[in-house]
Amino acid sequence: MSRDHVPSPKSQQRRRLLQGAAALSMSGVAGLALAQQFPTAKVNTTKLAVTDTEVVVGQLHSATGTMAISETGSIQAEQLAIDQINAMGGVLGRKIRVIKEDGASDWPTFAEKSKKLLVNDRVAAVFGCWTSASRKAVLPIFEKENGMLYYPTFYEGLEQSKNVIYTGQEATQQILWGLDWASKEKKAKTYFLVGSDYIWPRTSMKIGRKHIENVLKTKVVGEEYYPLGHTNFNSLINKIKVAKPDVIFAAVVGGSNVAFYKQLKAAGVTADKQFLLTISVTEDEVLGIGGENMAGFYSSMKYFQSLDNANNKKFVEAFKAKYGKDAVIGDVTQAGYLGPWLWKAAVEKAGSFDVDKIAAASAGIELKTAPEGYVKVHENHHLWSKTRIGQAQKDGQFKVVAESPELIQPDPFPKGYQ
């Protein structure tokens, strides 16, 4: 092509604008045609916020307070998924509109906001919560008002609800596999358990202690809990030094992790001297802790940003394009990203936005595009998934050093652990 035929930058820009407008127009036409195949009167028989062109969902996380350090990633990932779904034409031809509410790291506020979303706003689904305390606070409301919650956090299990899809792991997937790995690979014999003082850490440690004592035939030499937001761990660290455990098994949550790991390092409790396995620190928390304070310690999760697969590379690229090159992605962030996609798949399988039909359609849904690789919804509304062990690096990322060979079936009510 001669230079005479090379379009000017201005004409190239105009052409891109026209092409974009045409694409949007085609998308709108296709969306309208699809929506006409699924009349609102048939896909919305329970008076949810669904029209011929729009479906409204809720997002309920802590944007403020001590849990904001952990929940910001979930907020971002859920919005990314919704944006991508809208760019594809939405769900049953309807674009998704989001109403965001701030639980403010306060469980009564979570309950109040969930009732507002379900009763006043009539949202078709809610993506949200992080702590088990917040989930327990909203669960009776979701069951009474028949709402659908997509909950993204790893948790203790011992729960199953028609109104919840659990996109994180339950205890048998994360805790038991992680402890088995520590016992086998690190020859651990003694454990010191530490966590924040609420339902998830306490129940997780109860399950962990039973596994340590009854299955691994090893010993717990200390167990301590501290309030959410606690920042002085010096007395705990002295107890750990006296007990000299093979493993510190940690479930410290939220902003408290910053003080905990910084004080461990200041006291000389570093990875070259002490083995530590956490079930609560992801890349999101390390961003606040500082990679240099966490380096060498281990975390048991189903997802790490460093996972080497095509789905994850595409996800990480899109996340950074939207939120900046320095943005990081942790386990719960990725599990948050799954929520809107699983809901979309359930709506399309059911051919309806009605909660009862979505709940019934959810079992068996597969997501082959999940950044963690592949997931499938069990009839108990938890996901089949793999578990991985990551070793923290100074740059804030984790190096995956172990992975379960197969997907682990979710078992929220394991016999012998209750």
Side-chain angles (χ1 to χ4, degrees):
M1 179 183 290
S2 73
R3 289 179 60 85
D4 291 341
H5 292 87
V6 175
S8 69
K10 185 174 289 185
S11 66
Q12 286 179 323
Q13 183 181 25
R14 183 170 180 274
R15 180 178 297 174
R16 283 195 293 269
L17 288 171
L18 289 171
Q19 289 173 336
L24 286 172
S25 178
M26 290 299 292
S27 173
V29 171
L32 181 61
L34 184 58
Q36 289 174 343
Q37 294 177 36
F38 296 93
T40 301
K42 289 189 176 180
V43 300
N44 177 29
T45 67
T46 56
K47 298 182 179 178
L48 298 172
V50 180
T51 68
D52 292 347
T53 58
E54 179 183 88
V55 53
V56 182
V57 301
Q59 201 180 32
L60 177 57
H61 283 290
S62 295
T64 58
T66 188
M67 291 309 303
I69 183 177
S70 298
E71 297 193 55
T72 298
S74 300
I75 296 171
Q76 294 174 326
E78 288 158 2
Q79 186 62 58
L80 173 62
I82 289 168
D83 289 348
Q84 292 176 332
I85 292 169
N86 277 341
M88 295 169 61
V91 182
L92 296 186
R94 278 94 174 158
K95 293 295 179 70
I96 304 169
R97 179 165 68 85
V98 184
I99 296 177
K100 296 179 184 289
E101 295 292 349
D102 182 7
S105 307
D106 178 68
W107 322 144
T109 300
F110 268 92
E112 174 192 340
K113 297 293 187 182
S114 68
K115 189 170 184 179
K116 182 255 183 187
L117 287 168
L118 296 178
V119 177
N120 296 353
D121 300 322
R122 301 294 299 165
V123 297
V126 176
F127 306 98
C129 298
W130 201 104
T131 65
S132 288
S134 64
R135 190 192 69 257
K136 289 292 188 186
V138 307
L139 184 59
I141 299 166
F142 273 84
E143 292 183 334
K144 180 176 183 292
E145 304 298 338
N146 201 26
M148 180 60 79
L149 172 68
Y150 286 79
Y151 175 66
T153 317
F154 43 82
Y155 86 116
E156 68 278 4
L158 307 180
E159 182 182 300
Q160 180 180 339
S161 173
K162 172 183 80 75
N163 298 90
V164 183
I165 300 294
Y166 305 83
T167 67
Q169 291 186 308
E170 47 77 31
T172 66
Q173 295 171 306
Q174 182 192 26
I175 296 174
L176 303 190
W177 200 87
L179 287 173
D180 286 343
W181 173 80
S183 174
K184 181 179 179 181
E185 299 297 327
K186 300 298 177 181
K187 313 301 181 188
K189 299 296 182 186
T190 58
Y191 296 76
F192 197 111
L193 315 182
V194 56
S196 296
D197 192 5
Y198 72 99
I199 184 171
W200 175 70
R202 281 194 174 273
T203 308
S204 295
M205 291 306 173
K206 178 182 176 183
I207 292 170
R209 177 185 275 272
K210 286 181 178 291
H211 197 68
I212 289 166
E213 294 177 341
N214 300 338
V215 178
L216 301 177
K217 305 298 182 185
T218 48
K219 186 177 179 182
V220 174
V221 294
E223 185 169 357
E224 298 280 335
Y225 298 93
Y226 296 86
L228 271 174
H230 187 76
T231 57
N232 187 346
F233 293 95
N234 290 325
S235 63
L236 165 68
I237 293 169
N238 287 335
K239 291 177 182 177
I240 291 173
K241 283 186 171 181
V242 171
K244 298 179 179 177
D246 292 335
V247 180
I248 300 173
F249 188 54
V252 177
V253 169
S256 293
N257 278 306
V258 177
F260 179 54
Y261 288 97
K262 284 184 176 179
Q263 289 166 22
L264 280 175
K265 185 179 182 184
V269 184
T270 51
D272 57 336
K273 302 171 185 173
Q274 175 66 58
F275 179 80
L276 183 149
L277 177 64
T278 174
I279 53 173
S280 60
V281 174
T282 74
E283 291 86 340
D284 291 304
E285 286 76 20
V286 177
L287 197 61
I289 295 168
E292 69 280 9
N293 298 310
M294 186 73 194
F297 291 146
Y298 296 89
S299 187
S300 177
M301 298 284 162
K302 68 171 180 170
Y303 173 86
F304 294 101
Q305 184 180 319
S306 58
L307 283 182
D308 186 14
N309 68 62
N311 290 349
N312 190 44
K313 288 178 180 175
K314 188 175 179 181
F315 171 56
V316 172
E317 182 179 352
F319 195 90
K320 287 180 175 291
K322 185 173 180 63
Y323 298 111
K325 63 180 178 60
D326 295 328
V328 298
I329 305 169
D331 181 278
V332 187
T333 297
Q334 191 265 168
Y337 181 73
L338 304 183
W341 289 105
L342 290 170
W343 172 70
K344 175 180 183 289
V347 170
E348 292 173 346
K349 180 181 176 184
S352 173
F353 291 98
D354 291 352
V355 168
D356 285 342
K357 294 177 181 175
I358 292 171
S362 290
I365 285 178
E366 300 174 302
L367 205 56
K368 297 179 180 178
T369 55
E372 66 182 84
Y374 169 84
V375 296
K376 182 178 178 180
V377 182
H378 193 278
E379 61 184 14
N380 61 29
H381 279 196
H382 296 70
L383 303 184
W384 295 73
S385 62
K386 289 189 174 184
T387 298
R388 292 152 174 124
I389 302 295
Q391 185 177 33
Q393 308 295 300
K394 288 183 178 179
D395 64 359
Q397 291 295 302
F398 286 85
K399 177 184 178 183
V400 178
V401 297
E403 175 180 295
S404 62
E406 305 292 341
L407 295 174
I408 301 175
Q409 178 174 321
D411 183 11
F413 298 98
K415 292 180 180 178
Y417 289 90
Q418 300 173 40

